[in-house]
Structures are given as C-alpha cells and as structure tokens.
Amino acid sequence: MDEILFHQLFERESSTYTYIVADPVSREAVLIDPVMETVERDQQVLAENNLRLQWILETHVHADHITGAARLRAATGARIAMGRAGHVAGADRLLDDGDRIEFGCLALTVLTTPGHTGSCVSYKMVDRVFTGDALLIGGCGRTDFQEGSAERLYDSIHQKIFSLPETTLIYPSHDYEGRTHSTVGDEKRGNPRLGGGKSKAEFVEIMANLQLAPPKKIAVALPANLRCGQV
Ligand SMILES: [Fe+2]
C-alpha cells in the first residue's frame, strides 16, 4: 500500500493540532479538529496536495477555540461528524463507539473516550490514535466542566487507549511545549497523572486539585461550537 498522506498542522493561539489524513490513490481526505482562524490554511493544504475532503471530524465540543467545521463544510462540501453525546446542532453524522469513517481505501475507527467532556471521541487508524483532549502528551484534558468526570476519563483512557499496542502513536488535540506525538507505551509509563500504574483514586485526587482558570474563550467558543462553529 502506498504511504498514507498525513499533515499535522498547528494553530498558535490555542495550541491546537489539526490533522489531515488522506488516501494517496483516491486523494480522499479527512480533517480532524479544524480551528476557525486557520480554515484558509487548511484549504490551501488540501488544494496543494490535490485532496478532496470527505469528512470534517471533531474530537469533542471545544471550549478554548471556535471550530472551523461549518466554514470548511461550506467551502468544500465535506460532511461534519462528531460524538453523539455532544448535542451539537447541524452535524451530518453523530458517532457511536466502533463506527467507521471510510475515505478512499482507508478508515478510522471511533472510540468513545468521555471524561474530559461527555462527548469526547478518539479516532484510531492502523498505527496511530487521535486522542483529542482525552489523553495529551504527559497530561490529559481537564475534567471540571462540560460533563467532565475524572472517573470516566480514567476508565476511557485505560479501556480504550492504554489497551492498544504500546507502539501505537498518540496524536493529541493540543500540546503547549512543541511536542508532536507520543506512544501508548510512553504514556503508560511516564504520564505524570496516569502513568506507572496510578490508581483511579490517585488520578481523581490529582484532577480535583488542579485549580485551573476557565479557558479564555469559553463564553464565545461553547455556544458557537454547539452549532458546528456557525457564528
Ligand atoms: Fe477540550
């Protein structure tokens, strides 16, 4: 099989990674987690690589930035899909655990990974998994709003992500230190919140004591993202 086409793109203000994955033969592509401010960049990458966008996929309802999904759909005709539990208006497809997103001869498998939010999903393909904010490199998403639950996040990560082969590559929604990816094995061993066999009780206590400020854009991002980013 020809190599899978893969682009990892970065939005600076929210430190968000947007991913484009494509089948090199059919040129059919999916795009994961677009950001409003970088939709034109995404379109340029698609055009430069002669890709036809089929699916715009969200890992969850983001609180820190407005999604570019609606704008990208209007520009490309691609369809929007996300986890069913998000109660988002205007999505073309609501995803359940085990669903497959097919494009060209490739497919992503949906893993429901709630806990950061109630509707978080991860997308698994071949050697990698796009974990959204469920599992970050050396961290995880906060669990103190949007139906967050440290107990659920612990179960999601252990049952759906740490159960994958240790060489599986982790591609998260964000990184604030310039790291691009990790592996299941590295996170199982070294993640300060979850690694080294931390118990659920230990994890819950860590998450309860984070004392994080609310995301700066939450008041505008959440209502917009509940409409696929239509503002
Ligand atoms: Fe998030």
Side-chain angles (χ1 to χ4, degrees), residues 161-223:
I161 298 171
F162 281 0
S163 57
L164 299 170
E166 295 221 338
T167 53
T168 307
L169 300 169
I170 304 286
Y171 283 100
S173 269
H174 302 283
D175 194 79
Y176 304 95
E177 295 174 28
R179 298 164 295 190
T180 56
H181 64 281
S182 177
T183 66
V184 166
D186 283 347
E187 295 307 319
K188 265 168 116 166
R189 284 185 289 275
N191 188 300
R193 297 182 186 171
L194 293 135
K198 282 221 170 39
S199 68
K200 191 190 281 192
E202 288 174 297
F203 178 69
V204 168
E205 190 175 346
I206 290 169
M207 297 309 289
N209 289 310
L210 290 180
Q211 298 185 319
L212 301 169
K216 273 180 275 172
K217 281 193 176 177
I218 187 167
V220 286
L222 274 188

Side-chain angles (χ1 to χ4, degrees), residues 18-33:
T18 293
Y19 298 96
I20 295 174
V21 186
D23 167 18
V25 178
S26 69
R27 316 306 287 185
E28 291 190 349
V30 298
L31 186 149
I32 300 171
D33 284 340

Side-chain angles (χ1 to χ4, degrees), residues 75-87:
T76 64
R79 289 167 290 173
I80 299 172
M82 62 183 66
R84 182 177 299 281
H87 310 295

Side-chain angles (χ1 to χ4, degrees), residues 5-139:
L5 300 178
F6 179 67
H7 296 269
Q8 183 175 28
L9 307 165
F10 188 65
E11 194 282 318
R12 283 166 191 277
E13 196 191 333
S14 60
S15 296
T16 298
Y17 283 124
T18 293
Y19 298 96
I20 295 174
V21 186
D23 167 18
V25 178
S26 69
R27 316 306 287 185
E28 291 190 349
V30 298
L31 186 149
I32 300 171
D33 284 340
V35 177
M36 176 77 96
E37 285 80 0
T38 41
V39 161
E40 281 173 19
R41 172 207 63 190
D42 299 344
Q43 286 180 260
Q44 200 175 337
V45 173
L46 292 165
E48 278 169 3
N49 291 278
N50 193 26
L51 302 177
R52 285 181 293 121
L53 188 62
Q54 305 294 300
W55 289 102
I56 300 157
L57 305 172
E58 301 279 14
T59 55
H60 61 295
V61 180
H62 303 275
D64 63 322
H65 66 268
I66 298 177
T67 175
R71 193 174 280 185
L72 205 49
R73 175 171 61 186
T76 64
R79 289 167 290 173
I80 299 172
M82 62 183 66
R84 182 177 299 281
H87 310 295
V88 169
D92 300 291
R93 181 174 169 189
L94 298 174
L95 301 169
D96 296 307
D97 195 53
D99 281 356
R100 282 163 59 86
I101 309 284
E102 296 182 353
F103 53 109
C105 64
L106 302 177
L108 296 172
T109 302
V110 176
L111 310 174
T112 48
T113 49
H116 165 56
T117 73
S119 65
C120 285
V121 296
S122 298
Y123 299 99
K124 161 101 178 68
M125 82 174 291
V126 197
D127 62 345
R128 64 197 62 193
V129 59
F130 301 94
T131 53
D133 287 0
L135 182 62
L136 303 174
I137 302 169

